[in-house]
Amino acid sequence: MYHTDTSTRTPYHHAMTIKQIIVHKLDHSQGSEQLQAIPASQSLVSSPSLELVLDDLLHTYNKKPDKCYGQFSDLAEDSLPERLKSYLDLSSQEDTDDQASGFTQLTAETLTRLGQSLSEAGAISGGYVMFADYQQGLTRYLLLCMLSSQNSVMITDELTIQDTSYLDTARMSLACRINITDWQKNPEAGRYLSFLRPKGGKRLSTVFQEVIGCSETSSSKEEANTLLKTVEAYCQEEPVEENRTLVKRQVYDFCQNKLDEGESLSMQELTGHLSEAGPDDFARFVNTRDYDMSTPMSPERRKLTQLVRYTGRSKGLSLSFDAELLGGQIRYDATNDQLIITGVPDKLKEQLKQS
């Protein structure tokens, strides 16, 4: 059973085509701590339901914070990049049966390697492992993700309650996405591969990278810090508060839209967008500094929130408010170390009067 909530979904702008998709399983052997690989015998037949599942998984993946980016580093005989190359050679042929069997072999071998490595790390339970070879727009990807099932109940046609389980696409214990198109065009580029840093410490993260055969080149947190420092440097030289607030909001909105679509961005794209949307003060500032304008980045969402919200907490106190309110409804008196709020929310006033 599959369950998802698409009420807040941001639809993708590019049509998606599934070339191959398969689900294997890693399970604990009885009386053993070893994970047993249980491979599927063949790929699944693409359908609207499968497209919905994959779309939901991509939505979840794109929303995940603190992704890492890298490139293949291991071209040994038993490595994922080498096996992937062999499969892509098959998939360029017209024989669909060969393509399907090649994909099954690629994923089954990767599943076995993953199970062995995770067993040695001893830090993760079993689950379902999905592999998807899909095309979005002009770009081809390979997605690998490990999912679990959750127990629930359902109402039958006879109006009785029955136990059931469903695939939980909102949680990914392990995940990796390879931009096959970028990899084939420029194998020396450092960002055609992204992965989630698995929970369970450095050892588990290292094991997962070994299975993928990749080396990390950057992280979304580092890229967010770089972008925030750039905006902060601009704000220190921009005397008009309204301009500072506007640029922060525009940078935040542009990055969020890109991340929602699963796309990276560059400083050049960002400054171009801001120049079209209004004054080009920020673009002029960036262009006169020694910033890398063309390198792609995917800054972490949570870090970007600092552009549009102020937050802070101490013992027994937590505050969070939109940056646009500072200087109006909310004023900061640095001399007396005071934050002055006017127009207190009605519900808060009621609580204060009752105290």
Side-chain angles (χ1 to χ4, degrees):
M1 179 179 176
Y2 167 70
H3 168 75
T4 184
D5 177 10
T6 59
S7 59
T8 58
R9 176 74 52 80
T10 300
Y12 290 109
H13 293 280
H14 305 299
M16 179 171 62
T17 302
I18 297 176
K19 294 178 176 291
Q20 301 286 340
I21 188 167
I22 197 168
V23 180
H24 301 300
K25 188 176 183 180
L26 286 176
D27 203 3
H28 280 292
S29 304
Q30 288 187 347
S32 172
E33 293 298 319
Q34 298 295 310
L35 285 170
Q36 178 186 1
I38 306 175
S41 59
Q42 59 186 14
S43 299
L44 299 170
V45 178
S46 182
S47 67
S49 296
L50 266 180
E51 290 177 5
L52 180 61
V53 172
L54 181 56
D55 184 75
D56 194 46
L57 286 171
L58 295 175
H59 181 78
T60 299
Y61 186 81
N62 291 338
K63 289 284 187 182
K64 289 287 186 181
D66 197 18
K67 282 193 282 289
C68 300
Y69 298 85
Q71 60 188 10
F72 287 131
S73 59
D74 183 5
L75 290 177
E77 187 175 342
D78 189 38
S79 66
L80 174 59
E82 199 63 31
R83 292 193 298 269
L84 181 55
K85 278 185 176 181
S86 298
Y87 161 67
L88 292 175
D89 289 341
L90 280 175
S91 66
S92 63
Q93 301 174 11
E94 294 184 1
D95 192 323
T96 55
D97 290 339
D98 284 349
Q99 294 173 23
S101 62
F103 187 71
T104 301
Q105 181 178 351
L106 161 71
T107 58
E109 290 174 352
T110 305
L111 176 78
T112 300
R113 173 85 186 274
L114 181 63
Q116 292 170 346
S117 299
L118 293 179
S119 294
E120 292 171 5
I124 197 168
S125 58
Y128 297 98
V129 184
M130 177 180 285
F131 295 82
D133 173 8
Y134 67 97
Q135 184 102 9
Q136 203 160 32
L138 299 176
T139 306
R140 185 176 181 179
Y141 297 93
L142 177 71
L143 177 72
L144 180 167
C145 59
M146 190 165 180
L147 307 165
S148 60
S149 60
Q150 298 292 329
N151 295 325
S152 184
V153 294
M154 64 178 292
I155 299 176
T156 67
D157 292 339
E158 291 75 29
L159 302 182
T160 59
I161 301 296
Q162 179 178 309
D163 292 335
T164 187
S165 62
Y166 65 91
L167 190 64
D168 189 356
T169 58
R171 292 185 177 88
M172 294 179 177
S173 52
L174 296 171
C176 166
R177 181 168 60 188
I178 301 161
N179 186 322
I180 294 174
T181 302
D182 280 357
W183 175 44
Q184 291 179 321
K185 285 182 178 178
N186 185 10
E188 299 304 317
R191 286 182 53 91
Y192 54 75
L193 184 153
S194 64
F195 62 95
L196 301 180
R197 201 183 291 277
K199 297 178 181 179
K202 186 176 180 180
R203 170 59 181 157
L204 186 56
S205 180
T206 301
V207 164
F208 188 47
Q209 284 181 243
E210 289 173 352
V211 172
I212 301 169
C214 77
S215 57
E216 182 181 339
T217 56
S218 64
S219 74
S220 55
K221 186 176 292 184
E222 293 170 351
E223 292 169 352
N225 287 334
T226 299
L227 182 57
L228 289 173
K229 287 177 182 177
T230 303
V231 176
E232 182 60 34
Y234 162 79
C235 290
Q236 288 178 356
E237 297 194 10
E238 171 54 56
V240 182
E241 173 66 28
E242 290 182 2
N243 291 346
R244 296 197 294 266
T245 302
L246 177 62
V247 164
K248 287 180 179 180
R249 169 56 68 177
Q250 289 176 332
V251 170
Y252 176 81
D253 288 343
F254 180 77
C255 292
Q256 290 296 319
N257 288 336
K258 282 287 191 177
L259 294 173
D260 283 345
E261 295 172 9
E263 298 180 1
S264 58
L265 61 116
S266 67
M267 195 69 78
Q268 188 170 11
E269 287 178 299
L270 176 61
T271 55
H273 171 77
L274 265 62
S275 295
E276 292 177 0
D280 59 358
D281 295 349
F282 181 72
R284 287 202 304 269
F285 169 83
V286 171
N287 288 328
T288 56
R289 267 62 174 184
D290 188 24
Y291 290 114
D292 187 342
M293 299 297 290
S294 59
T295 299
M297 57 181 171
S298 301
E300 186 191 36
R301 293 172 183 273
R302 287 183 299 193
K303 283 277 186 180
L304 290 177
T305 305
Q306 297 176 28
L307 292 170
V308 294
R309 289 191 71 80
Y310 291 106
T311 59
R313 63 177 58 195
S314 60
K315 187 176 181 180
L317 176 66
S318 178
L319 283 174
S320 178
F321 57 90
D322 287 344
E324 287 90 342
L325 297 179
L326 190 64
Q329 187 178 347
I330 299 176
R331 290 182 293 112
Y332 175 50
D333 183 348
T335 304
N336 298 310
D337 193 24
Q338 293 179 340
L339 199 64
I340 303 166
I341 303 174
T342 57
V344 178
D346 292 339
K347 285 196 175 183
L348 179 56
K349 279 194 291 188
E350 290 177 10
Q351 296 176 57
L352 294 172
K353 289 178 182 179
Q354 293 171 4
S355 62

